[in-house]
């Protein structure tokens, strides 16, 4: 099977902060191991030397990535690669890719991977536009483009049951019949970030470390985390390590959303909160996680998946989480909270109760076992066969 993987990269300056690139970099070699021929078309190479690579332009903004597909380039690429399957990691591009397949005379299967959903649902079933894709009122056009992408795909892949439910509900509202085209294929864990949970650090006299390793966008609920951080560190039992995953961002990205820099400064000003950078180095990132006792999930309502949560769990770090989206589906119910007081109690218990921590460290580690790249590649190839 010849697979052409079309990958948008939003963070070319810091690939370690781009979950779509990390996913492709882990998955592509696993697909090759499973017998597929893989070419990645992206602004930066992903995979290993066995994978083909076609360099594409970096989209100026996240909106250009959704609305400015180069059909001439796509036609030439499809004719050159002669794929059996084309994977659109940006679902909104699927109509343009379908057009290119038609012009190229290709009967390749078109699979869309819903890596990021431009919407979420409340508990009452109300559809909410993702605020990160709603600048200048563009949220609804993005939603319509997403629905058009679903209609253009032969297969639609999502990370989780939560994502499947949301995508199915949205498709129905937009009169798109998904039929039997929807498949759940989780993202692979990074095997470099897997550790025996028995090798955990003690709480320490200076306070156990809770790690927050998520992007600091406002739409991730970072303001709520800032408020929670004050409560978590108030007693001195817990210290917090906050990851600055972006470093210096391009002016175009800061112009659309300057919240990461603002949130970073607010967190750095808090006592017992350390803001650190992995400098784009996965070894340093692993070491920063290894020194922590537990993780904290983001307050992101539209969360269909979180690679950062999986990173923590693979390292044997229990993760405490608000009851939101996929987080409530995946994380142990004993570690989910609804109030700041509940979050503080969980953090302090994980910090001081070794038996409680050991049980949840094992559960966290075990919850990632099915996300090994080889297993995910098998599910991926089954989904696009």
């Amino acid at each position: 099977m010849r697979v052409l993987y079309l990958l948008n990269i939003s963070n070319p300056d810091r690939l370690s902060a781009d979950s779509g690139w990390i996913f492709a970099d882990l998955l592509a070699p696993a697909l090759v191991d499973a017998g597929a021929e893989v070419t990645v078309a992206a602004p930066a190479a992903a995979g290993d030397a066995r994978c083909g690579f076609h360099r594409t332009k970096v989209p100026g903004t996240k909106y250009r990535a959704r609305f400015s597909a180069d059909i001439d380039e796509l036609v030439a690429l499809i004719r050159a690669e002669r794929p059996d399957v084309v994977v659109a990691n940006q679902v909104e591009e699927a109509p343009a890719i379908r057009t290119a397949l038609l012009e190229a005379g290709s009967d390749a299967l078109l699979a869309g991977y819903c890596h990021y959903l431009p919407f979420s649902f409340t508990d009452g079933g109300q559809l909410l536009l993702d605020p990160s894709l709603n600048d200048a009122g563009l949220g609804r056009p993005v939603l319509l483009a997403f629905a058009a992408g679903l209609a253009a795909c032969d297969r639609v892949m999502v990370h989780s049951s939560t994502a499947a439910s949301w995508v199915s509900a949205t498709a129905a509202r937009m009169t798109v019949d998904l039929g039997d085209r929807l498949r759940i294929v989780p993202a692979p864990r990074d095997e470099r970030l897997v550790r025996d949970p028995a090798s955990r650090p003690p709480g320490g006299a200076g306070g156990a470390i809770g790690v927050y390793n998520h992007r600091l966008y406002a739409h991730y609920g970072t303001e709520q985390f800032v408020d929670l951080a004050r409560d978590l560190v108030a007693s001195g039992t817990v210290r917090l390590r906050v990851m600055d995953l972006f470093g210096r961002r391009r002016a175009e990205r800061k112009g659309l959303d300057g919240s990461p820099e603002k949130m970073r400064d607010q967190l750095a000003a808090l006592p017992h909160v350390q803001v650190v950078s992995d400098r784009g180095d996965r070894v340093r990132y692993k070491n920063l996680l290894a020194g922590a006792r537990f993780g904290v999930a983001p307050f992101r309502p539209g969360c269909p998946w979180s690679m950062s949560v999986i990173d923590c769990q693979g390292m044997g770090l229990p993760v405490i989480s608000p009851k939101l989206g996929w987080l409530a589906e995946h994380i142990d119910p004993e570690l989910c909270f609804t109030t700041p007081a509940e979050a503080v109690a969980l953090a302090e218990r994980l910090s001081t109760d070794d038996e409680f921590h050991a049980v949840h460290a094992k559960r966290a580690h075990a919850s990632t076992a099915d996300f090994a790249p080889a297993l995910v590649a098998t599910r991926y190839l089954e989904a696009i066969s």
Side-chain angles (χ1 to χ4, degrees):
M1 179 186 293
R2 296 173 61 87
V3 178
L4 175 59
Y5 195 109
L6 304 178
L7 174 63
N8 166 52
I9 293 175
S10 58
N11 302 296
D13 304 320
R14 186 64 68 90
L15 291 174
S16 64
D18 192 297
S19 57
W21 180 84
I22 292 173
F23 182 10
D25 194 49
L26 297 171
L27 179 64
L31 291 175
V32 173
D33 289 340
E37 297 180 47
V38 181
T39 295
V40 177
D48 58 26
R50 299 170 299 164
C51 302
F53 173 58
H54 175 83
R55 188 177 300 278
T56 58
K57 296 178 182 178
V58 177
T61 69
K62 53 195 167 185
Y63 296 106
R64 282 180 175 260
R66 288 161 170 83
F67 296 125
S68 62
D70 187 332
I71 294 180
D72 288 337
E73 181 182 31
L74 288 169
V75 170
L77 183 58
I78 290 165
R79 285 176 173 162
E81 294 296 328
R82 297 177 288 108
D84 301 303
V85 179
V86 178
V87 176
N89 203 54
Q90 196 77 59
V91 172
E92 294 90 339
E93 287 191 329
I97 298 167
R98 176 64 74 191
T99 300
L101 288 169
L102 176 65
E103 290 189 15
S106 171
D107 60 358
L109 181 142
L110 175 54
Y113 200 97
C114 301
H115 185 71
Y116 193 100
L117 303 182
F119 54 83
S120 62
F121 283 89
T122 66
D123 291 339
Q126 179 186 3
L127 186 150
L128 302 176
L129 297 176
D130 190 306
S132 74
L133 289 166
N134 198 24
D135 299 284
L138 280 166
R140 188 149 188 84
V142 169
L143 175 62
L144 292 169
F146 185 88
L150 296 178
C153 289
D154 299 304
R155 297 285 189 279
V156 176
M157 294 183 282
V158 296
H159 291 95
S160 62
S161 295
T162 296
S165 174
W166 288 352
V167 169
S168 296
T170 299
R173 293 184 185 207
M174 310 299 282
T175 68
V176 175
D177 182 8
L178 289 178
D180 63 351
R181 292 180 286 145
L182 188 64
R183 305 286 190 277
I184 297 175
V185 183
R189 72 182 184 183
D190 189 338
E191 295 298 302
R192 296 167 295 184
L193 302 175
V194 176
R195 180 185 64 169
D196 183 346
S199 59
R200 58 178 176 80
I209 295 174
V211 66
Y212 187 84
N213 58 329
H214 310 282
R215 297 188 284 185
L216 298 178
Y217 289 120
H219 68 272
Y220 270 60
T222 313
E223 287 179 320
Q224 289 173 268
F225 173 69
V226 172
D227 292 336
L228 177 62
R230 295 189 179 94
D231 295 331
L232 288 176
V233 302
S235 71
T237 303
V238 173
R239 292 177 292 151
L240 290 175
R241 175 173 293 161
V242 176
M243 298 286 199
D244 174 19
L245 298 174
F246 285 141
R248 294 176 61 87
R249 295 189 304 152
R250 289 181 291 125
E252 297 91 337
R253 292 180 60 76
K254 287 195 289 186
L256 279 179
D257 186 350
S259 62
E261 287 75 17
K262 177 183 176 183
M263 297 294 101
R264 180 185 62 199
D265 292 343
Q266 288 185 16
L267 286 162
L270 296 178
H272 309 301
V273 175
Q274 175 192 33
V275 177
V276 298
S277 172
D278 64 1
R279 303 172 193 151
D281 182 340
R282 295 300 270 182
V283 173
R284 177 174 168 79
Y285 177 63
K286 179 179 182 177
N287 290 336
L288 289 169
L289 293 182
R293 177 85 166 182
F294 65 91
V296 183
F299 287 81
R300 180 182 166 201
C303 189
W305 186 260
S306 171
M307 187 166 285
S308 295
V309 165
I310 301 301
D311 291 345
C312 285
Q313 291 178 321
M315 291 286 292
L317 301 184
V319 177
I320 64 172
S321 171
K323 294 179 181 178
L324 295 171
W326 166 79
L327 299 166
E329 170 194 332
H330 174 73
I331 291 177
D332 192 302
E334 282 193 317
L335 298 182
C336 290
F337 59 83
T338 56
T339 68
E342 292 173 354
V344 170
L346 283 170
E348 294 190 349
R349 188 174 180 190
L350 286 171
S351 299
T352 59
D353 186 334
D354 286 346
E355 183 177 354
F356 182 73
H357 182 277
V359 167
H360 283 287
K362 290 178 182 177
R363 289 180 186 176
H365 184 266
S367 74
T368 72
D370 288 342
F371 307 147
L375 297 178
V376 172
T378 297
R379 293 178 66 171
Y380 206 96
L381 292 175
E382 287 175 351
I384 60 180
S385 296

